[in-house]
């Protein structure tokens, strides 16, 4: 499930370099395997600080630079010491170190502090300042501010004490002799008390934030933000529902690694981690307690940006073991997912963006939950930026979701529950995208599994999730109002998607966070988080918050009726809808004949154009109602872009299917029977049509014509007409025109053409008759022409007959002669003599009538 890529290996990247240097001082054989190299800290720039015991009985501190892959010696102690904490300032001029001191037998009569904290000048190595000598552990951490200045002559150091307080030291520096950097006044360092009375603390190096937990009447999580101007400010507070005494001793998170921790502190009563995501504007507070006696483990994810918390309980498989009560899961941030990993038991990939249903989070157990590169005895820690550290081996890994595993999970359709497949599909579409190669694999999978699953429609999921990903990146505020899954279109969520075997979930609203910073400070991430928490208050009270295109079905039915109406109000509304459509189609890629793969006809599909405009209208109305903060202009752009992307997405689906089955231009020839590949494409296109019709989504212009062409080629004639009668295939004017001209008039084709003409609305039938070279169509044309002229003639005044002496009449057939004279007379007195009659006149009527008479009398074949 997870893909681990090694980024640092203590043995390969550091120890081998140490051996080479030690070889110049003593015999490396003596130190082979007992160099005792240990990782101490990881700074904001990714540099790894480590210590090792030297060949001459010394202790040294070095830094590994991941960019240059080089090691650098920072400082050497002239005796072996126990380094419990270490940090390096950004300019690499100061080194802060905490040493764990143990009383030797001969020193028991002398009082010795348990922790000695030093500040050392290392550019070059010069003075050493004792900062603290206390009986509690102290973690040190330099603040690495965001600044573009090359040389900064000040540093700020955090001292985080096990007694539950944090101090910030302000160290002013001065440059001497052009290169030496020393402390300006080491005896009088300014310091501030940043926090106190806490039992848990976490440092976020990337954002320069300090989280800590206080517990008086209630547990309160607080956050201090540090700025480049040496100021800091408590910006955030959140009450948490925690046990009365969650931590019996101080817990440090992301403040280095103390390898000399006393054994009584090793057992964790609770594990807690705060995860922030600048891109998402989200914050999650994760905590868990060891497994209960009934072999059930519980963990909670507080979704601060969603205003709720999710508590999961997982039943552990197997017989209870003595150490099972010590098990605590690991929380690993991966994008907007939080992975909860318990080695040997389960892996739960929790979706913190779409958290409503369990089926959008992926739960795995057994072999699927194993991380192969990590051994059973590994001591693994979660690091910022989706990283893991194995303390036993000294290896660091970046962690990501494995697309190959997710694709394999999709293909195992018979052995996997629908909830897993749906969660995997959303991981691939929303988290992994945009990825053209991956999208092509998903479309291939849809083609191979074209029928919908029992609990969800994979084509609908593909369309909605892909659109959500595209538009969400343009505006984060749309996350709660746009659809991302078709599951919510159902009246009731299917049981197979709402339940995960062995996992129970409860959702609760949590206390509202308090933002305490000044208005000017709440920028960027904090502004987005505050906006997210505020809008959730409104969203919680609003039913049907997410846009559902299927709810426009009644409006679509009314619009179809309006299309046939001729009243002025209807015309004005249709003009408004058409303007919406024009805006969308102007954004869609130009589909030139020399560039397109799928031969979508460029046609005026009035129904699809109307549906496009209607969707723009309804979506715009929805966003204006729920997100007025965005402004009408921005909403207009987002809505038009959303519908345009929908049309492009369906076109790309068709293009992928077309290339998969290697179809060429011959599919447009109606005279030949379709191949098995064409039948497969026809089947997929029918499923796309079914999926979009259910959601009331428009299709690209030309889609229905192409589907009807494939239907004629692939289906038996009677089946084709049944598809038409049931509304699956639409008789577009482009399709019928092509059919009338391309197919000859043999008996089978003639029967098909008559069947199609019967199913056409009268205006289209009249237009199509002009394209079919057939006696019956000529007779229809003549009748319509005569009816029209006589209706005009009845409205005009004057003689019904004017004698004219013109050649060409047949006096021996007086009824026809009389009718022809009337038609000629009306043609001459027409209001608009230049009106086009589409090659129909009295002479044509006369010839057609005579031909029909000869056919009826049996003197001429059809």
């Amino acid at each position: 499930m997870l893909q681990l890529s090694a980024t640092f290996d203590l043995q390969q990247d550091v120890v081998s370099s140490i051996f080479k240097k030690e070889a110049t001082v003593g015999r490396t054989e003596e130190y082979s395997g007992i160099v005792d190299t240990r990782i101490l800290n990881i700074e904001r720039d990714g540099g790894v600080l480590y210590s090792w015991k030297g060949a001459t009985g010394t202790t040294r501190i070095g830094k590994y630079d991941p960019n240059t892959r080089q090691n650098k010696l920072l400082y050497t102690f002239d005796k072996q010491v126990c380094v419990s904490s270490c940090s390096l300032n950004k300019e690499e001029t100061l080194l802060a170190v905490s040493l764990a001191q143990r009383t030797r037998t001969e020193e028991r009569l002398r009082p010795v502090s348990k922790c000695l904290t030093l500040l050392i000048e290392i550019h070059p190595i010069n003075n050493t300042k004792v900062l603290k000598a206390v009986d509690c552990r102290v973690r040190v951490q330099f603040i690495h501010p965001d600044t573009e200045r090359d040389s900064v002559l000040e540093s700020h150091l955090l001292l985080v004490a096990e007694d539950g307080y944090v101090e910030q030291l302000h160290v002013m520096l001065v440059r001497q002799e052009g290169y030496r950097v020393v402390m300006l006044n080491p005896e009088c360092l300014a310091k501030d008390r940043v926090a106190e009375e806490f039992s848990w603390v976490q440092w976020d190096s990337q954002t320069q934030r300090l989280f800590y937990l206080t517990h008086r009447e209630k547990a309160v999580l607080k956050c201090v933000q540090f700025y480049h101007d040496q100021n800091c400010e408590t910006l955030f507070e959140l009450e948490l529902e925690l046990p009365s005494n969650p931590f019996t001793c101080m817990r440090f998170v992301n403040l280095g690694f103390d390898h000399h921790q006393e054994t009584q502190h090793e057992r964790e009563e609770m594990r807690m981690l705060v995860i922030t995501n600048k891109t998402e504007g989200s914050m999650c507070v994760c905590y868990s307690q060891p497994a209960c006696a009934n072999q059930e483990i519980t963990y909670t994810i507080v979704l601060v940006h969603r205003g709720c918390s999710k508590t999961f309980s997982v039943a552990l498989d197997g017989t209870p073991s003595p150490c099972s009560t010590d098990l605590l899961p690991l929380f690993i941030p991966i994008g907007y997912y939080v992975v909860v990993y318990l080695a040997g038991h389960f892996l739960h990939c929790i979706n913190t963006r779409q958290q409503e249903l369990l089926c959008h989070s992926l739960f795995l157990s057994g072999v699927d939950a194993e991380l192969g590169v990590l051994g059973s005895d590994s001591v693994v820690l979660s690091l910022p930026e989706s990283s893991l550290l194995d303390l036993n081996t000294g290896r660091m890994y970046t962690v990501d979701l494995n697309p190959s595993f997710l694709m394999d999970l999709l293909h195992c359709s018979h052995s996997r529950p629908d909830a897993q497949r749906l969660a995997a599909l959303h991981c691939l579409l929303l988290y992994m995208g945009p990825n053209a190669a991956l999208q092509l694999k998903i479309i291939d999978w849809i083609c191979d599994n074209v029928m919908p699953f029992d609990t969800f429609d994979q084509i609908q999921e593909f369309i909605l999730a892909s659109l959500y990903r595209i538009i969400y990146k343009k505006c984060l505020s749309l996350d709660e109002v746009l659809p991302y899954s078709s599951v919510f279109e159902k009246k009731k969520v299917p049981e197979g998607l709402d339940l995960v075997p062995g996992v129970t979930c409860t959702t609760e609203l949590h206390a509202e966070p308090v933002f305490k910073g000044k208005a000017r400070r709440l920028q960027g991430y904090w502004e987005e988080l505050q906006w997210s928490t505020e809008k959730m208050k409104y969203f919680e009270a609003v039913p049907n918050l997410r846009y559902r295109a299927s709810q426009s079905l009644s409006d679509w039915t009314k619009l179809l009726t309006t299309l046939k109406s001729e009243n002025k109000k209807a015309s004005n509304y249709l003009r408004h809808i058409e303007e919406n459509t024009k805006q969308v189609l102007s954004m869609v890629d130009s589909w030139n004949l020399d560039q397109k793969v799928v031969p979508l006809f460029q046609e005026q599909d009035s129904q699809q154009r109307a549906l496009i405009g209607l969707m723009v209208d309804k979506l715009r109305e929805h966003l204006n109602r729920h997100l007025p903060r965005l402004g009408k202009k921005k909403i207009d752009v987002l809505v038009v872009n959303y519908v345009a992307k929908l049309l492009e997405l369906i076109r790309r689906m068709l293009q992928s299917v077309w290339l998969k089955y290697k179809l060429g231009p011959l599919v447009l020839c109606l005279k030949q029977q379709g191949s098995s590949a064409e039948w497969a494409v026809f089947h997929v296109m029918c499923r796309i049509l079914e999926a979009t019709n259910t959601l009331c989504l428009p299709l690209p212009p030309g889609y229905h014509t192409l589907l009807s062409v494939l239907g004629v080629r692939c289906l038996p004639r009677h089946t084709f007409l049944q598809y038409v009668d049931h509304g699956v295939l639409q008789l577009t004017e482009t399709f019928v025109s092509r059919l009338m001209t391309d197919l000859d008039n043999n008996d089978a084709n003639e029967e098909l053409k008559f069947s199609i003409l019967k199913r056409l609305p009268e205006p289209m039938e009249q237009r199509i008759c002009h394209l079919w070279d057939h006696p019956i169509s000529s007779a229809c044309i003549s009748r319509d022409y005569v009816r029209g002229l006589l209706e005009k003639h009845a409205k005009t005044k004057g003689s019904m007959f004017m004698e004219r002496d013109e050649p060409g009449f047949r006096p021996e057939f007086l009824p026809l002669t009389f009718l022809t004279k009337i038609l000629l007379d009306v043609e001459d007195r027409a209001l608009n003599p230049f009106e086009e009659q589409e090659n129909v006149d009295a002479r044509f009527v006369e010839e057609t009538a005579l031909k029909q008479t000869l056919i009826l009398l049996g003197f001429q074949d059809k």
Side-chain angles (χ1 to χ4, degrees), residues 744-796:
D744 59 23
N745 290 331
N746 63 38
D747 290 344
N749 291 341
E750 190 177 86
E751 183 181 352
L752 175 65
K753 292 179 180 180
F754 279 131
S755 300
I756 287 175
L757 283 174
K758 283 196 308 182
R759 289 166 167 81
L760 296 179
E762 187 175 344
M764 187 192 296
E765 181 186 4
Q766 292 175 359
R767 294 192 297 271
I768 295 300
C769 279
H770 289 79
L771 303 175
W772 186 20
D773 184 14
H774 189 275
I776 300 299
S777 64
S778 299
C780 290
I781 294 169
S782 299
R783 280 195 297 270
D784 292 338
Y785 176 73
V786 170
R787 185 187 301 113
L789 277 183
L790 292 179
E791 285 174 355
K792 290 181 182 179
H793 179 64
K795 295 176 183 178
T796 58

Side-chain angles (χ1 to χ4, degrees), residues 623-785:
L623 296 187
N624 278 323
R625 181 165 61 249
H626 295 300
L627 291 175
R629 175 178 181 259
L630 295 179
K632 290 188 176 182
K633 287 186 177 180
K634 185 172 183 178
I635 286 175
D636 283 347
V637 172
L638 288 170
V639 166
V640 171
N641 192 54
Y642 184 86
V643 182
K645 291 296 182 184
L646 166 64
L647 300 181
E648 286 187 10
L649 180 65
I650 296 174
R651 180 175 65 91
R652 284 202 301 273
M653 285 184 71
L654 283 182
Q655 181 174 309
S656 301
V657 175
W658 216 260
L659 292 173
K660 174 182 172 66
Y661 291 100
K662 300 177 182 177
L663 298 192
L666 288 177
V667 297
L668 300 181
C669 178
L670 298 177
K671 298 178 181 179
Q672 298 178 3
Q673 190 173 355
S675 63
S676 58
E678 290 172 40
W679 166 252
V681 173
F682 174 73
H683 194 193
V684 173
M685 289 185 68
C686 284
R687 278 286 296 114
I688 294 174
L689 177 65
E690 178 190 359
T692 52
N693 278 351
T694 306
L695 297 176
C696 203
L697 298 177
L699 291 164
Y703 188 96
H704 285 288
T705 297
L706 181 58
L707 184 59
S708 296
V709 169
L710 287 173
V712 167
R713 287 175 60 90
C714 297
L715 298 173
R717 296 294 168 84
H718 66 280
T719 308
F720 171 82
L721 294 174
Q722 286 181 345
Y723 273 54
V724 172
D725 292 338
H726 286 84
V728 178
L729 299 178
Q730 287 188 18
L731 299 175
T732 64
E733 191 163 345
T734 305
F735 163 71
V736 178
S737 302
R738 194 178 188 92
L739 182 134
M740 292 295 175
T741 55
D742 285 8
L743 295 184
D744 59 23
N745 290 331
N746 63 38
D747 290 344
N749 291 341
E750 190 177 86
E751 183 181 352
L752 175 65
K753 292 179 180 180
F754 279 131
S755 300
I756 287 175
L757 283 174
K758 283 196 308 182
R759 289 166 167 81
L760 296 179
E762 187 175 344
M764 187 192 296
E765 181 186 4
Q766 292 175 359
R767 294 192 297 271
I768 295 300
C769 279
H770 289 79
L771 303 175
W772 186 20
D773 184 14
H774 189 275
I776 300 299
S777 64
S778 299
C780 290
I781 294 169
S782 299
R783 280 195 297 270
D784 292 338
Y785 176 73

